[in-house]
Amino acid sequence: RLARDLPAARFRVHSFDLAAANERVVACDMANVPLASRAADVAVFSLSLMGTNYGDFLREAGRLLRAEGGWCVVVEVRSRMGRDAGDADRWVKAVAKSMRW
């Protein structure tokens, strides 16, 4: 949706997934995205951290993001992280602690 909605003159959007849903999406392993290191300002994970190797996906985002000012945005269902908001907070902190950006 970002690729469709953002003006192409100002933004270049790359979309990756395990399977290409349309012509805007490149099918690939999210732990090995075909972009150069430090090529992205923002990485968005939307319901894409369901795999057991989601840490590899997040490390790949760290490789892709610019060293200064890159953003990683994660949108997941709460049930993935636990039953209550405290579980979600602990999940985010544990993932962040394990990352080496």
Side-chain angles (χ1 to χ4, degrees), residues 74-90:
V74 177
V75 180
E76 283 292 338
V77 293
R78 181 175 287 172
S79 62
R80 170 75 170 103
M81 299 166 215
R83 294 197 179 274
D84 63 41
D87 289 335
D89 287 343
R90 284 186 288 281

Side-chain angles (χ1 to χ4, degrees), residues 16-27:
F16 304 100
D17 204 338
L18 186 59
N22 59 52
E23 69 281 352
R24 294 185 188 109
V25 179
V26 174

Side-chain angles (χ1 to χ4, degrees), residues 16-91:
F16 304 100
D17 204 338
L18 186 59
N22 59 52
E23 69 281 352
R24 294 185 188 109
V25 179
V26 174
C28 72
D29 175 2
M30 295 302 290
N32 188 19
V33 173
L35 284 179
S37 295
R38 308 292 179 235
D41 294 308
V42 179
V44 178
F45 290 92
S46 178
L47 302 175
S48 58
L49 299 180
M50 298 299 182
T52 57
N53 63 331
Y54 62 84
D56 295 335
F57 301 167
L58 292 168
R59 277 186 284 284
E60 181 68 350
R63 180 188 72 79
L64 296 171
L65 289 171
R66 296 187 196 286
E68 297 292 325
W71 284 72
C72 183
V73 179
V74 177
V75 180
E76 283 292 338
V77 293
R78 181 175 287 172
S79 62
R80 170 75 170 103
M81 299 166 215
R83 294 197 179 274
D84 63 41
D87 289 335
D89 287 343
R90 284 186 288 281
W91 185 87

